[in-house]
Amino acid sequence: MHEVLTVAEMGEADRLTIASGTAGLVLMERAGRAVAEVAQSMVVAGARILVLCGPGNNGGDGFIAARVLSGRGYAVTLGLLGEASALKGDAALAAQTWTGRVEPLGTLALVDYDLVIDALFGAGLNRPIEGTALAMLSAVVEAKTPILAVDVPSGLAGDTGQVLGYAAQASKTVTFARRKPAHCLYPGRRLCGEVVVADIGISDQSLAQIAPKTHINDPALWSRLVTRPDEEGHKFRRGHLLVVSGGIESTGAARLAAHAGARAGAGLVTVASPSDALPVNAAALSDIMVRRSNGTEGLSQLLADRRRNAVVLGPGVGVGPSTRALVETVLAADRAVVFDADALTSFEGAAEPLAKATRARSNQRLVITPHDGEFSRLFSGKTEILKPLDRLTRARLAASFLSLVVVLKGPDTVIAAPDGRAVISMNGSPWLATAGSGDVLAGIIGGLLAQGHAAFDAAAAGVWLHAEAGRIIGPGLVAHDLPGALRTVTPCLNARPLRGLTCPSNPMGSAIDNPVGTSARPSGASVIGSLIGTSAERSTPAAPAVM
């Protein structure tokens, strides 16, 4: 259930299901009944329910929901936008099953209703709502009546989650078969309220034929990355991560990333430190190694050791030409890399030179992790990348332009690959909005890259683990809490959990759904093959640090 379908893909899923022998009216009947079931769960017996129906298939779902609820003893009023005679296809057939009055929306009085079902417009709407529909929804919001939306709240663009002029806040939304981008991307994600995904009989075979490229970031896609270490292994087989530190006044960011990389499983982690910061870093680190590194020459010397197979560059290193030179040095060394923070801002308005360097790489295990501000600075002047309002489209365009994996951070973090694959984070926590949190994320991804995982896999896993650690810690979180919290997250993902470890309970609502001691979680192998590559696609660290 982690596929995310565009409006066009959902339409194709409907078409394939109908072509295989299920009538469109049957699908509509199932959808309407699903809406009725959720509505029934939101009100008491005999409640007054207003169903607002639009002129398309969304309205057809509303007619069926109204019929079912009326038959169960609820006081149902149905308002229609437009004329019943104008309904077409399955919507017209669904309307014929409703034997009650059909009130014109424009003359409908909004009395004391216990629930309003918004079946006016679905996810395919491409223009702002206006006139009678706008007035009615505004009145419902003013009356503070709970709203159950069908598919999406009317006025929400299904493929982007953006508001087309106006959309009312729903208490719950019922959608069908799979979520759409509007259910996952803000502001749509907030406006939908709780999302219920109803099974209306869209087959897995239909989805496989469509092969959607967007998924919810779920451990089923990558849980094989977080595994029990080989009992006969050693630290060099788990990779060696190099984290580049800034000067004496900005060393903390690199140390956060370094600790996170170690907690994520890298066998060795070294902080490359300028001479002035060497005493500070050495005094603050015990299980992380520290080596002197001044400028590009010092960094090149450290990278001469091929066992240092992954690099995190950017947290706290400073903005300017010297950092750009460090980026170029790392790219020339052909290592797996995470660029974050200052490494990206140092290329403000210079995305073209960076793209030229990243496209030329033979090792494509590259990840950048910008937040919105860093993203806007990097792509300053690239209106074709910055113009889209939704994070999913922007991330995909940037990934294609730079030929690398983009982690566009935010409340709805998107991980996008150059070939169009993308996952959307759904387990984020507001407690992660604190200084240093992004440095930890860069380190987690770097630690996974050091172990030989493909960039998209490592980025998706890193984002989920980082978010889940934040959810478990909750209020009072500071960045240095996060690396240690990974110890309570990762055992829950292991196919062979370490003896004696259990998953924490989480009052904040953990996304861990398969605690140790229950049946093994799905491997997700079939999805890995189509979405984020098979194990054969994994890059391996430079010898001898292989996994």
Side-chain angles (χ1 to χ4, degrees):
M1 295 286 284
H2 43 68
E3 299 94 343
V4 177
L5 300 182
T6 65
V7 173
E9 287 170 340
M10 187 64 218
E12 179 65 5
D14 282 342
R15 188 193 68 79
L16 290 170
T17 302
I18 292 169
S20 68
T22 301
L25 186 59
V26 171
L27 294 179
M28 188 170 285
E29 178 74 22
R30 292 170 181 170
R33 286 185 172 275
V35 173
E37 290 293 335
V38 176
Q40 188 171 339
S41 73
M42 297 174 69
V43 294
V44 298
R48 303 182 69 180
I49 300 174
L50 173 61
V51 182
L52 303 176
C53 294
N57 284 345
N58 224 45
D61 298 339
F63 272 101
I64 290 170
R67 187 197 77 226
V68 172
L69 289 167
S70 179
R72 294 177 181 177
Y74 294 94
V76 177
T77 301
L78 188 146
L80 176 64
L81 180 64
E83 298 294 331
S85 60
L87 295 171
K88 298 178 181 179
D90 293 330
L93 296 174
Q96 292 172 16
T97 70
W98 168 250
T99 58
R101 284 177 54 84
V102 176
E103 303 285 351
L105 203 63
T107 62
L108 190 62
L110 189 63
V111 294
D112 245 354
Y113 290 105
D114 300 299
L115 179 68
V116 172
I117 297 177
D118 171 14
L120 287 170
F121 299 105
L125 186 69
N126 57 11
R127 54 181 171 76
I129 59 172
E130 55 190 9
T132 304
L134 175 59
M136 175 55 71
L137 288 174
S138 299
V140 171
V141 170
E142 188 175 349
K144 299 182 179 179
T145 307
I147 297 174
L148 171 61
V150 179
D151 199 14
V152 297
S154 293
L156 203 60
D159 284 343
T160 67
Q162 297 299 302
V163 176
L164 299 171
Y166 182 86
Q169 174 69 55
S171 299
K172 289 186 179 183
T173 295
V174 182
T175 193
F176 313 109
R178 297 293 188 272
R179 284 178 172 84
K180 297 179 180 68
H183 303 123
C184 306
L185 300 170
Y186 285 97
R189 181 157 143 187
R190 171 177 50 81
L191 290 168
C192 287
E194 179 187 343
V195 176
V196 178
V197 181
D199 181 3
I200 59 171
I202 302 296
S203 69
D204 290 340
Q205 290 79 7
S206 296
L207 293 177
Q209 190 171 339
I210 294 167
K213 285 197 168 186
T214 307
H215 289 63
I216 291 169
N217 190 18
D218 185 271
L221 302 176
W222 44 259
S223 58
R224 62 181 175 79
L225 273 67
V226 187
T227 58
R228 180 188 178 99
D230 184 350
E231 293 180 1
E232 297 181 87
H234 53 78
K235 59 189 177 185
F236 285 104
R237 293 186 64 186
R238 293 168 60 190
H240 189 162
L241 175 64
L242 185 68
V243 181
V244 181
S245 172
I248 192 169
E249 294 183 348
S250 56
T251 59
R255 291 198 299 274
L256 286 170
H259 279 297
R263 290 291 192 191
L268 301 93
V269 181
T270 294
V271 169
S273 175
S275 294
D276 67 332
L278 199 62
V280 176
N281 281 324
L285 296 170
S286 54
D287 44 7
I288 306 294
M289 295 180 287
V290 181
R291 293 290 182 268
R292 188 187 311 274
S293 175
N294 292 312
T296 56
E297 182 178 352
L299 186 56
S300 294
Q301 290 174 357
L302 290 177
L303 290 173
D305 185 342
R306 298 294 301 178
R307 293 176 298 179
R308 296 187 177 112
N309 62 302
V311 179
V312 172
L313 174 61
V317 297
V319 175
S322 60
T323 297
R324 284 184 65 161
L326 291 175
V327 169
E328 292 162 358
T329 298
V330 171
L331 288 174
D334 212 33
R335 299 299 204 280
V337 185
V338 180
F339 290 132
D340 183 36
D342 294 346
L344 302 176
T345 301
S346 293
F347 282 84
E348 180 172 1
E352 286 281 3
L354 179 60
K356 183 178 180 181
T358 55
R359 293 169 190 160
R361 291 246 310 182
S362 60
N363 184 345
Q364 288 302 307
R365 292 197 301 140
L366 298 175
V367 181
I368 65 171
T369 56
H371 56 56
D372 285 333
E374 292 159 348
F375 189 89
S376 296
R377 288 191 288 271
L378 174 60
F379 292 105
S380 176
K382 291 287 180 186
T383 56
E384 69 276 16
I385 294 176
L386 294 179
K387 185 177 180 180
L389 296 177
D390 66 290
R391 194 178 303 277
L392 179 60
T393 302
R394 294 199 307 273
R396 277 188 164 128
L397 290 171
S400 176
F401 180 78
L402 293 174
S403 292
L404 47 68
V405 172
V406 173
V407 177
L408 184 50
K409 298 182 292 191
D412 49 356
T413 294
V414 171
I415 303 96
D419 60 6
R421 293 170 297 161
V423 294
I424 305 171
S425 174
M426 295 290 284
N427 69 321
S429 164
W431 309 113
L432 289 169
T434 186
S437 173
D439 305 323
V440 173
L441 174 60
I444 294 171
I445 297 172
L448 294 169
L449 287 173
Q451 295 169 73
H453 299 301
F456 190 70
D457 300 42
V463 167
W464 192 92
L465 293 168
H466 177 258
E468 194 61 21
R471 285 160 59 89
I472 287 172
I473 297 167
L477 179 153
V478 293
H480 74 74
D481 296 332
L482 290 165
L486 293 176
R487 297 180 65 246
T488 64
V489 176
T490 54
C492 308
L493 304 175
N494 292 343
R496 295 186 299 149
L498 301 178
R499 186 174 302 155
L501 289 177
T502 57
C503 293
S505 59
N506 179 19
M508 297 297 292
S510 172
I512 298 172
D513 57 12
N514 190 48
V516 172
T518 65
S519 59
R521 79 160 50 248
S523 68
S526 62
V527 179
I528 291 292
S530 62
L531 174 68
I532 54 178
T534 64
S535 58
E537 291 181 75
R538 287 178 50 190
S539 301
T540 54
V546 295
M547 180 178 179

